[in-house]
Structure formats: C-alpha cells, structure tokens
Amino acid sequence: MPEKPLIDRGFDRFLAAYNTPAYDFNLNVARLFVCAFLIWKLFSRDFGFFGTVPEEIFYFYPYHLYPMDKWILWTGLPVIQELLTFHWIHWFLPHPSVGVLRFIQGLTILSLASLAIFGKGPKSVIIVITYSLMIYLWGYLFLLGQEIDSIDLYFAIILALGISSYSDVPIWKMTKLYHEHRSAAGGRAFSNLILVFVFYYFASGVNKLTDLSILEWFQYDLVDAIEVHSIVAAHSTLDSLGFFRLFDGFTLFNYIGPPAVYISHLTVPIVFFRKNLIPKFFLFYFLFHLMTFGVGISFSGYIFVWTALFSWHEIIDWLRAKRRKPTAAR
Amino acid sequence: MNIYYDGDCYFCTNFVKLLKLRQAVGDVHLISLREDNDDVRRILASGLNVNSGFVVEHEGKLLHGAQAFHYLNTLSDPKNILSRVLFYVSNHEWLARVLYPLMVLGRYFVLILQGGALIDQRRRPWQEEVKEGLGPRLVRIASLLLIIVGSFRIWLASGRYPLTDLFQFNVKVLTIASLLVWCALFFRARYAQQIYGRMRHADWLIVCSYIILWFLLVNSMDLIALRRIIGAIALMPLVGIAVELGRSNYKRSDAGKIPSWAPLALLVFAFFPGLFLAPFYGGIAGWTLSVDWSRPVLVGGYKLVNKQGEEIWYNHAFFQPVTMDGRFQRAFEVVDPDHELLQKFMLDNYKRIYPMLERGRMPHEWALGRLAYPSHNLSDSNALDYVGKFAPDRIAGIRYVLEQYSRAGELIETKGGELFPAP
C-alpha cells in the first residue's frame, strides 16, 4: 500500500492530537480564570466614558486612520463591525448615556460572575449573554479604530468554550469533577482552546513575514526604544519601570529579542502537538509581554493568559502529592 | 443528437440547457468536453477547434461553431424570451456572424473569471491524475490575481507611490512571470492540475520550494498592503487543499466539523489581508523602529494651565478605556482639524473625572485603586497632583505642548500651541 501523502499524514497527526483525551476539570478552571480576569478588567475601566464622547466621533474605522499604503485592517469596515459588535442597534437607537453604559458594565460583571459560578447554563444561555454584553461594551473601543486591548484571546476563549461540548459544571461540583478521568470530549474542547492561541499568535507571526523583510527583523532598536521611553516617561505622565534600565547599552538584545518573538509566533502551532511545551511558551510570552512594559505598553492581559492552558488537574495532583509525602514519611 | 459543449463554462452549460429543441430531433445528449468518454476522445481527435465553438453531431453531420449555433436554432422551439432572441439572431446570418464571436469572447471571459482553462485539444483525460476542481482553479486564479496586483503597483508608481529601481525590477518580473504562467495555465488545463497535484501530494522538497517561492513573491512588492495581498494570493492553492481536507473529513467519526475545517480557518485567519472582525484581528503588524540619537527626544501632549500660569500634563489615563490615545485624538482631528472639539472634550472630561481624582484615584482605579488593571499606555497614578491647584474652577485652559530633551534628559526646547480657554 503506498504511503499516505505528507499532508494527509500531517492531518492524521493533527486529528490524533485533537482527540487526545484531557480533563474536563481543566476547562472549568479555564472558564474561572477567564471570568476572573475579565471581571478584574471591568472593575478597572469606566465604560461610562463612551457616553461622553461626541456623537460625530462614532464611528471611526481603520480606513480613516491610515493612507492606502499603510492601511492594514481591511475588513474593519462599517456595517460588518456594527453587526459583529451589536452596535447595529444604534441604527435605530441613540447612544446610551453614561449611566446606562455603567449599568450595562455592571450587568456584564454580574453575567461573568454567573458564568464563573454556574457555568455555561442551559443551552449555553449564560455564556451567550455574557459574550453579547462584552462585545457590545468593547464594541465602543473597536469602533473607535482601536483593535488592541489585550482582550482578543479572552473573547476567543469564551467563544471556544461556548462551542465546545465538555462536562461544564457549576463551581460547587468541581471537586467531584476533579476525580473524574480524562475524557475525549474534554480533549477536543481543550484542543479548541489551544487552537485559539495557535490562530492568534501564528497570524501575528505571518504578519512579520509579510510586513517585514528578514533583514528588517533585526532592525528594531528595542534597547534604545526603552531608553527613549524612560526619558519620555520622566518628563510626562507616562510610566516606566526602572528595572528596564538594566538593558541600557545591551544592544545585542536588539538582534535577539524581536526575532525570537517572531520565531515563537511562527512556531506556536507546535504546542498543539506537544502540550508539554505550554509552560515554556507561557514563560516566553510572560517575559515578552513584560518586555513591552519597557516601551510603556501594558499587555498585562496576555502576561497570564497562557495559564488558561495549564493542566491544573496535574498541578493540583502534584501539590497534593507534595503535601502527602511528609505525612507518609512520618 | 449529440451536443458537445464546455461543461466548465457557465455560459455554455446554460445556453445548451436553455434551447428547447423540437421533439422531432429525437434524443439529445449533452456531453461536456471536460468529461472522459469515447465520444469526447473522438471529437478531440477530430481536429475541430472546440475552444472557438461547440460541436453538434446529428444524422451523420458534424457541425461546429456558428454553423452549429445556426443549426440548433433552426431546430429549436422558441418558448422563452432568450431562445426567441437566439432564434431571431440565427435566422439572420449577418447578425449570427457578428454575435457568435462575441459569445465566444464572453465565454472566454467567464472561463477566466471562474479560474477555468481552455479545453486542451491534446488532452488525455484518462491519463490525468488530478481532475479539474477547486484546487487547479485556485492555481489559475492566483496567477491571474498576481498579474492584476503587479499591474496595479506599476500603475500606482506613476502617481503617489513611486517605485525604487530594485522594486521596479521586482514588480515587473513578478507581473511578466505571472502573465506567462497564467497563459500557460489557461491554454494547457493540465498544467494547473499537475501543479495542484504535486502540492497535494507534496514531499518535504516541494514544501520547502513552496515556502521559498512564497517568500520571493511577497518580497517582490514594497507596499505592506500589497505584500499582504500577495501573501494571501500565493497561498490560494493551499486553500484548495484545506477545503479538500475539510470536505473529505468532516463526516468522519474521529474528526467532526471543527478539526476538519480548522486548517482552512487557520489559513484564512492568518493570511487574509487585514482581517479585523471584532473582536478579532489578524495579529499585530510588523514594523521596525530606528532610534536616532542625533535628534532630540520628543515629548508631546496636552497640558492643563491654571489661572496662575502653572501647567500639568493631561494624563492620557483620563481617556480610559481608550487604549490608543493617538487614534482617539485623530478621530477628533478628522471631524475638527482645528482641535477645538478635542480640547473642549478634554476639558469637559477633566471636569467630569475630577471628583475621582480628589479621591486619589485615576478613572480606571475607580473600584480597585492601585490594584486596577493598568492603562494600555502605562501611566503615572498621579491623581493627587491635580487636586487643589488644578481644580476645574482654577483651570484657565488647555494647550498643546511639544518638548525636546537631550539623551541626558535635559530640556532643549519647548514649543507650545495657543491656549484653548476653559469656558
């Protein structure tokens, strides 16, 4: 029998990895983590602000931002974005006031808390409501031509959990779930979560191939940019962390740091096949996103997001074993 | 009666179906010349140019092109508007002679748009490993689109976006090479089938060659927007493979819809140029950063000015949850280039958030204080600096300031805009 083509063999490996059983418990922990993060974020923002923005400023699409040669967000278009963010309702209704927006923000926090505590709910009603409220609120940001808020992965995780079938339980049943074995459904749902990360980071990597030549990979003066930022921060209301001054003069880092990040983006699909690499990617991205603080940009949300993929079941197993050992010795 | 027509051509297929041939004709067999059977082989071997007209075989006669067109119409029973028009045309020979070539041209045009190819007279369908389908069509469409993008770039070069010598050469080579490739693919249908077949059954050598080709194509262009488009176009054959994988696997019990279509989704998500479907966008763009220490470090922004003439930076955290302040301010600029609307908004916003500042908190710290999620552009948490001296009733106005600093952090120069007075 002739050997299968490379692509089919690759796809078979992909399927095998996709179907590898995993603990449903981990997915419930991921749900808790994502909800906790988003609640934190919502308690750290005042969406009422958008109730004060003049009507004529809405909406501001990417094509307003850049000339043609730099226009990079092609599908950030009217109608499409409004449909996706539920802002189509403002084709009929005026924008809400500060008070109403704050009320919606409060509802979103409640909804996230419900999702954390009760799970997706019957027919996924809780997760659908939560997503709808969130996308409406963040729609204000996206529709002002701002796509970056370290939030995309969290939205995607919620969607991935929403479309996955696994044992989703309320918080008080998680102890029981912890004692259950790995399941095929849990494995597939967990694979969906990993795919979210693969999609997002890989796409970012592809941009580095299309937007830059390979030579340009080595033309990011990160160390000098950190120094510039420290000067700017010292004379403005921008903040900087003194720690980054340690990089002063270490220009070799310019040729290591950015290319390493680009390579990590492009190689991220490997975590789908080798899940033991997740902690290593977490560590790398923890450091990378921390580095962006050096130039005054906070990607705080993404510093920890990889922990949603941790095998919390095994971590708890390990901790319990650690606790048991001294007792056994006695 | 046998009617041989191009089954890949939307026009031809519908024309043949539209004809209401009289019952007297007897059995009518519509045979696509893209199929493989003894009749097709016979017609292909007959030497008739099947690309310039269809073929009718009836009662021992073999008719071709305009002749076949006229013949069919004399046998048709016009019942609908289009067949009546055709009947009328074919009954006027001069009109038929004019119209038929136009119909043939129309067929070429539709075929090109469909990613099809001409029928290869020397075709050996029974020897083809890969049949015509989405994959080969995407190979042809990709080469066609490369010609269009290349030509577009050359056209742009005559206006606002001139090309450097190097890129002028690259773009011309890309355009001409794509044109030659497309011609070959259009005139010899099997070439695209073979290319797609090789890719579908690729070994590592082909994978590496494809990646190198992809790099060369992308790097032949200078503008980022066009580089991204070329990156997506060059990937189109892979899209065909991903669709094939999805179609053939999604019903498998060990696969299902999500993993079967995941490769296609990944290709679309990662390579579709400028994907932004809220809340998702196709990742952060690539850019370079060059710091020139021979030039001063610029610190710009708005400052609040109080009635004593003292100034303080307008903290960008006052704009939270906005993450990209520059873009937010651009939105105002677009509406009001004089910045009056922006400055008025800033003053109103300041007045609104001031009670929060009096509590020692920035707006985003309203609930959690210092434990709040930081603002996207790291900001000083200096709420108390504003309290008292910069109370709203003591504010004289706001103005844009640009300061220049040396590398040592010494102030070199300050440029200030006019004061926009508080109401």
Side-chain angles (χ1 to χ4, degrees), chain A residues 19 66 75 145 147 152 210, chain B residues 227 254 276 279 324 327 376 380:
Chain A
N19 289 318
Y66 302 107
T75 53
E147 75 282 7
D152 311 66
T210 52
Chain B
R227 287 168 70 98
D254 63 334
F276 181 26
M324 301 159 104
R327 291 189 186 184
H376 180 67
D380 285 338

Side-chain angles (χ1 to χ4, degrees), chain B residues 276-336:
Chain B
F276 181 26
L277 300 172
F280 308 111
Y281 67 102
I284 291 180
W287 75 92
T288 57
L289 185 84
S290 178
V291 175
D292 179 1
W293 285 114
S294 67
R295 304 175 72 173
V297 176
L298 302 177
V299 181
Y302 283 90
K303 279 189 169 180
L304 292 165
V305 183
N306 68 13
K307 287 172 181 166
Q308 282 71 46
E310 294 168 303
E311 296 184 343
I312 189 167
W313 288 108
Y314 190 96
N315 195 318
H316 55 268
F318 296 166
F319 287 139
Q320 286 298 313
V322 162
T323 54
M324 301 159 104
D325 299 342
R327 291 189 186 184
F328 185 60
Q329 294 181 25
R330 276 282 305 280
F332 279 88
E333 272 174 29
V334 169
V335 176
D336 169 31

Side-chain angles (χ1 to χ4, degrees), chain B residues 133-150:
Chain B
L134 181 68
R137 279 171 190 268
L138 287 174
V139 172
R140 286 187 208 103
I141 291 174
S143 60
L144 180 66
L145 290 175
L146 287 177
I147 303 169
I148 294 171
V149 175

Side-chain angles (χ1 to χ4, degrees), chain A residues 5-8 11-12 14-15 18-19 37 40-47 49-50 52-54 56-57 60 62 64-66 68-69 71-76 80-81 84-85 102 105 131 135 141-142 144-150 152 155-156 159 163 192 195 199-200 202-204 206-214 216 219-221 224-225 227-228 231-232 235-239 262 293 296-301, chain B residues 156 161 199-204 207 214-215 218-219 223-225 227-229 241 245 249 252 254-255 258-260 262-263 265-266 269-291 293 297-299 313 315-316 318-324 327-328 330-332 334-335 341 345 349 352 364 366-368 371-380 382 386 405-407 409:
Chain A
L6 189 65
I7 289 174
D8 293 287
F11 187 71
D12 286 346
F14 168 75
L15 275 187
Y18 186 82
N19 289 318
F37 169 80
W40 177 41
K41 185 129 185 169
L42 280 163
F43 270 119
S44 308
R45 294 290 180 267
D46 174 15
F47 280 86
F49 172 85
F50 294 112
T52 67
V53 173
E56 56 265 46
I57 299 304
F60 195 69
H64 292 123
L65 277 168
Y66 302 107
M68 195 218 89
D69 59 323
W71 192 39
I72 50 169
L73 296 167
W74 294 67
T75 53
I80 298 175
Q81 298 292 67
L84 291 169
T85 54
R102 283 179 177 161
Q105 184 172 348
Y131 180 84
I135 193 71
L141 196 67
F142 301 137
L144 275 169
Q146 321 217 350
E147 75 282 7
I148 295 172
D149 192 21
S150 313
D152 311 66
F155 271 96
L159 279 180
I163 61 166
N192 290 343
L195 281 179
F199 273 44
Y200 186 78
F202 185 68
S204 207
V206 169
N207 286 347
K208 308 303 179 288
L209 293 178
T210 52
D211 302 356
L212 303 171
S213 67
I214 294 297
E216 286 172 326
Q219 290 174 16
Y220 195 98
D221 293 348
D224 294 288
E227 193 178 340
V228 167
I231 296 168
V232 173
H235 300 97
S236 69
T237 53
L238 286 171
D239 205 1
Y262 305 157
F293 279 65
I297 301 169
S298 146
F299 282 116
S300 311
Chain B
L156 275 183
Y161 303 102
M199 290 182 68
R200 180 69 187 82
H201 300 95
D203 53 20
W204 283 111
V207 170
W214 188 87
F215 260 103
V218 167
N219 283 287
L223 302 178
I224 287 177
R227 287 168 70 98
R228 285 186 175 196
I229 290 174
I241 293 173
L245 282 177
N249 289 296
R252 269 170 63 177
D254 63 334
I258 295 177
S260 298
L266 178 64
F269 191 84
F271 288 89
F272 190 91
L275 187 84
F276 181 26
L277 300 172
F280 308 111
Y281 67 102
I284 291 180
W287 75 92
T288 57
L289 185 84
S290 178
V291 175
W293 285 114
V297 176
L298 302 177
V299 181
W313 288 108
N315 195 318
H316 55 268
F318 296 166
F319 287 139
Q320 286 298 313
V322 162
T323 54
M324 301 159 104
R327 291 189 186 184
F328 185 60
R330 276 282 305 280
F332 279 88
V334 169
V335 176
L341 186 65
F345 173 79
N349 184 51
R352 184 181 67 85
H364 65 284
W366 64 276
L368 302 174
L371 295 176
Y373 183 97
S375 56
H376 180 67
N377 294 98
L378 283 181
S379 61
D380 285 338
N382 62 338
Y386 296 85
Y405 289 89
S406 69
R407 191 172 183 178

